[in-house]
Amino acid sequence: MAFFKQFLEIRGKEIASHPQLMQYYALPYIPDPKQHPSFSELFTDEWHIQIRETLDRVLDRIGTKKPELFEILTRPTEPLVDLTQVHQLQRQLQDLTLLQQQTQTKLKNCQAGYHQVITVAAELVQTLASSVSGQKISPTYLADIVKRLSQLRKNPAEIKTEITKQAVIPPVDVKPLVGRLDYEKIKMDLRQSPLESSLVKKQAYLIQSLRQLLMKAPSGQDRRKELQVLIERDVLDLRTNKKSISAHLLSSQSEIVREQMARLLNVMATDCIGREYLLYNSSHLVGDMVHALKLDKTDTPFRQNILGALQKLSLRRNAQSAMNDLQMVSYLVDILQDLEDLSEYSIEYGAALLMNLCLRSKGKQEACQNPPKILKTLNQLIEHDNSQVKTYVNGCLYSLFSDEYIREEGKKIGMEEQLMYMKQFSDEQLSKQIDFVIEKLNSEEPDEDLEDNLSEDGEEADTHDEDDEQEFMTMEDDSDLRPTSQYKSGEQLLREEYSWMRTPPSEKKIALAAETQVLPAIQKKKVEEFEIGFSSRPKVARTPLSGSIEHLDQQTVNVQ
């Protein structure tokens, strides 16, 4: 049974889309499945024989036709083609290859000459502008331009070396920026407590830029590599004995700084290596986040992101224990009572976090302290339009109904009738969940200690992340932090202020002169393609995706 449970934790989601298999997700959590009315049949010889016969019928229906690839490989060898034709085709291929190389050489020479013409033309335009403004143009400078114009009549191959040396536009640096940052300077600036509004806003832009390194990565693999670099450099100082940067920024007097820090934590917690880092060495970060969350009394972007980050961290048992010690269940029950004042994001992530915490014995005990209140909250949530929220509520009810007092209160307020009514408007998946909940409500089984039923290394199973680009697009509305002439942001801020390889002043002047030139059409297209591929990407909705949570009593759930 332990192997089956491990399979469900790691690979269970791959087959969870089949409704007929959903009931078997509860099998590892049944104390004595051989005596359980729903599973006793699985342990009989008749059931094994029946399954084998069903499998044989399916294979017979599919047929035993061998794959086409097998037929090709086993087909008798056909007579070889005429060797003369082979040699002729090889010669044609060599001729075409040589012609292609010659054509490419001519194209490169033409491009080189074209860029030289554009460079000289740009300098002439600048010279004309300087002359109009009254500046004196030296004869030596004009003679140099005339000399370069005369060189254009030469063979392009002869001036190729000169063009390379005289190139005004510097090559684009495509090396990963995250590996060339001065992290000591970054951490020093993040630890400051500035009073001037300009410095406060600059600090917020810095936090935003770190998050955008992850958000705008070209692929999920690149994103994880960049996150790994941030972790290795301990960008939040979580591995030191002093107060972490995250705790310092979460308690900042600036609302915009706190919000950007919450957004960064939310994005980092989306990846399993990010969760491992944020919870490093039983980090106190969870306590800092919960404390900051409870201080915010309204559904602000700060509170939404902290709630999302906590839900993702709740995939780890040590985070669950820390949240239950801080009485997060009571807090969630309180805020989820008034759904009209909550965003879709807060409702979905709050319900998922409540389910994760109630699956632990301490969280369930806290919820059971006030049965009418918790059931009233869950009754409101189960009527929500979001099917994911309904799934999380079913999970909470299934766990809580193992408590005798909760079952009595549920029967008292007519929970079975309400669930039967909801079942009429539910799909097949939700209907089966409701059946499990009703069965639990009417059972007389003793309380189950779910904490004992969980593996001691439950957090180690948290190594699988959905490879979905939209997971990292949570809460991406930064309307208050847009690049301005006064404040830099994103890669520009990190490259110019925090890079080990910052551009020397002399090169900055050359680059500034290059920006004033009229780029040739082909080069402008290349620059645009680079910006599309390695810079910002279109935003998507911040509301979390509706994933598939197929079974009720799994250990934890991630709503990314």
Side-chain angles (χ1 to χ4, degrees):
M1 194 62 68
F3 290 105
F4 181 59
K5 180 181 178 182
Q6 183 180 8
F7 171 79
L8 292 180
E9 292 175 349
I10 299 176
R11 299 280 305 279
K13 193 170 183 180
E14 299 178 6
I15 60 173
S17 59
H18 302 283
Q20 66 271 24
L21 301 178
M22 182 179 172
Q23 60 177 333
Y24 300 113
Y25 280 74
L27 186 58
Y29 303 96
I30 303 300
D32 189 2
K34 293 183 179 180
Q35 304 300 326
H36 195 279
S38 300
F39 302 108
S40 58
E41 182 185 4
L42 305 181
F43 300 93
T44 61
D45 295 336
E46 292 78 4
W47 186 81
H48 292 173
I49 297 174
Q50 181 182 357
I51 289 297
R52 182 60 181 265
E53 293 175 351
T54 303
L55 178 60
D56 291 338
R57 288 196 298 270
V58 171
L59 294 177
D60 292 340
R61 186 169 63 251
I62 294 176
T64 57
K65 183 180 179 181
K66 296 180 180 179
E68 185 176 354
L69 180 60
F70 179 80
E71 297 291 344
I72 294 175
L73 293 175
T74 57
R75 186 180 303 163
T77 306
E78 298 180 358
L80 296 176
V81 297
D82 188 0
L83 292 179
T84 305
Q85 296 180 359
V86 174
H87 295 320
Q88 183 179 1
L89 292 175
Q90 288 177 344
R91 286 194 297 271
Q92 292 179 2
L93 178 60
Q94 293 175 354
D95 295 339
L96 292 175
T97 303
L98 179 61
L99 179 61
Q100 180 189 20
Q101 294 175 351
Q102 295 174 349
T103 304
Q104 288 179 344
T105 302
K106 292 180 181 179
L107 175 61
K108 291 180 180 178
N109 291 336
C110 290
Q111 290 177 338
Y114 180 70
H115 291 165
Q116 179 73 347
V117 172
I118 293 300
T119 300
V120 174
E123 293 186 12
L124 288 174
V125 171
Q126 292 179 354
T127 302
L128 180 60
S130 300
S131 178
V132 171
S133 62
Q135 297 182 14
K136 185 178 179 179
I137 309 300
S138 66
T140 304
Y141 180 72
L142 291 176
D144 180 67
I145 292 181
V146 172
K147 179 181 178 181
R148 291 164 61 187
L149 284 173
S150 63
Q151 289 178 341
L152 295 177
R153 299 182 180 180
K154 301 179 182 179
N155 189 317
E158 298 178 6
I159 61 172
K160 184 175 181 181
T161 304
E162 297 182 21
I163 293 174
T164 304
K165 294 181 180 179
Q166 299 173 0
V168 178
I169 302 176
V172 180
D173 184 9
V174 296
K175 295 181 180 179
L177 177 62
V178 69
R180 298 184 288 106
L181 298 179
D182 186 349
Y183 286 93
E184 292 303 319
K185 186 176 186 299
I186 290 176
K187 289 191 277 189
M188 182 179 65
D189 288 353
L190 290 178
R191 280 197 173 278
Q192 293 181 359
S193 300
L195 299 178
E196 298 181 18
S197 59
S198 59
L199 297 179
V200 171
K201 205 158 190 179
K202 182 179 178 181
Q203 193 177 53
Y205 273 107
L206 173 57
I207 303 171
Q208 179 202 53
S209 300
L210 293 174
R211 174 171 57 88
Q212 289 178 347
L213 279 178
L214 305 175
M215 303 286 292
K216 297 180 180 180
S219 66
Q221 184 179 6
D222 293 328
R223 179 183 300 116
R224 174 164 287 189
K225 290 180 180 179
E226 295 189 349
L227 177 58
Q228 185 66 46
V229 174
L230 294 179
I231 293 173
E232 290 175 354
R233 304 301 175 86
D234 194 14
V235 68
L236 299 181
D237 264 350
L238 294 177
R239 295 172 178 166
T240 61
N241 295 326
K242 54 187 177 181
K243 183 179 180 181
S244 67
I245 290 176
S246 56
H248 170 70
L249 295 175
L250 287 175
S251 59
S252 171
Q253 298 297 320
S254 170
E255 180 180 355
I256 193 170
V257 170
R258 294 196 306 271
E259 178 184 332
Q260 290 303 317
M261 188 61 211
R263 292 179 184 273
L264 176 60
L265 293 174
N266 196 7
V267 170
M268 294 182 72
T270 305
D271 195 288
C272 63
I273 65 173
R275 293 191 287 271
E276 183 177 359
Y277 170 66
L278 295 178
L279 298 173
Y280 174 79
N281 197 21
S282 299
S283 170
H284 298 290
L285 178 60
V286 171
D288 297 329
M289 294 171 66
V290 171
H291 178 70
L293 179 71
K294 292 183 178 180
L295 290 179
D296 202 332
K297 303 301 181 183
T298 56
D299 192 32
T300 60
F302 169 77
R303 193 174 79 169
Q304 293 170 13
N305 277 275
I306 291 293
L307 188 62
L310 286 173
Q311 189 281 324
K312 296 164 187 175
L313 291 176
S314 70
L315 295 174
R316 300 290 180 111
R317 288 196 64 199
N318 56 345
Q320 295 172 1
S321 300
M323 293 181 211
N324 282 328
D325 290 340
L326 296 169
Q327 299 181 337
M328 269 296 292
V329 171
S330 299
Y331 171 80
L332 292 172
V333 172
D334 288 337
I335 66 170
L336 290 174
Q337 283 186 327
D338 194 357
L339 301 182
E340 294 182 357
D341 294 336
L342 297 180
S343 63
E344 275 293 316
Y345 190 94
S346 294
I347 294 174
E348 184 167 346
Y349 275 73
L353 178 57
L354 180 62
M355 172 183 169
N356 287 350
L357 298 182
C358 285
L359 290 176
R360 297 292 298 277
S361 60
K362 190 167 185 177
K364 183 175 66 175
Q365 291 170 6
E366 182 181 352
C368 294
Q369 291 177 0
N370 192 340
K373 186 175 182 179
I374 182 66
L375 291 181
K376 178 182 177 182
T377 301
L378 295 177
N379 278 338
Q380 294 178 346
L381 287 172
I382 204 171
E383 297 178 358
H384 197 272
D385 295 334
N386 191 328
S387 61
Q388 282 292 81
V389 174
K390 297 178 187 292
T391 296
Y392 306 143
V393 173
N394 288 335
C396 288
L397 291 174
Y398 186 85
S399 175
L400 295 177
F401 281 157
S402 62
D403 182 85
E404 179 182 358
Y405 297 103
I406 292 290
R407 291 199 301 268
E408 292 179 358
E409 181 66 24
K411 295 175 182 178
K412 180 180 178 181
I413 63 176
M415 281 292 298
E416 182 175 1
E417 291 76 10
Q418 182 177 358
L419 290 170
M420 292 299 297
Y421 176 78
M422 296 296 299
K423 183 179 178 181
Q424 300 176 16
F425 307 98
S426 302
D427 56 24
E428 184 177 1
Q429 173 186 339
L430 287 175
S431 296
K432 291 196 173 185
Q433 294 176 1
I434 293 175
D435 289 339
F436 276 105
V437 174
I438 294 176
E439 181 182 356
K440 193 74 171 179
L441 173 64
N442 295 322
S443 68
E444 299 296 335
E445 299 177 1
D447 293 353
E448 294 182 14
D449 192 346
L450 294 183
E451 185 174 8
D452 293 338
N453 289 336
L454 296 175
S455 61
E456 288 301 321
D457 59 346
E459 62 269 24
E460 298 304 326
D462 172 31
T463 57
H464 180 69
D465 291 287
E466 289 296 320
D467 187 16
D468 195 321
E469 294 297 319
Q470 294 186 355
E471 282 192 11
F472 276 80
M473 298 303 164
T474 56
M475 310 297 291
E476 181 60 2
D477 183 15
D478 287 336
S479 56
D480 293 336
L481 278 182
R482 300 296 181 188
T484 65
S485 57
Q486 182 180 2
Y487 299 104
K488 303 169 186 175
S489 67
E491 289 191 5
Q492 182 186 8
L493 171 63
L494 297 176
R495 194 180 301 276
E496 296 184 10
E497 298 291 337
Y498 298 97
S499 175
W500 280 112
M501 303 173 63
R502 291 188 286 274
T503 307
S506 59
E507 295 185 14
K508 288 183 179 179
K509 293 181 180 179
I510 296 177
L512 181 61
E515 291 176 359
T516 62
Q517 298 180 9
V518 181
L519 294 176
I522 185 171
Q523 186 155 345
K524 181 179 293 186
K525 182 178 180 181
K526 288 183 177 180
V527 173
E528 292 174 351
E529 290 175 351
F530 176 82
E531 292 177 348
I532 293 174
F534 295 91
S535 183
S536 60
R537 299 178 296 173
K539 297 178 181 178
V540 300
R542 65 174 178 81
T543 305
L545 287 174
S546 296
S548 177
I549 309 300
E550 300 295 335
H551 55 287
L552 300 178
D553 54 340
Q554 67 184 69
Q555 178 179 345
T556 49
V557 58
N558 190 349
V559 297
Q560 300 164 8

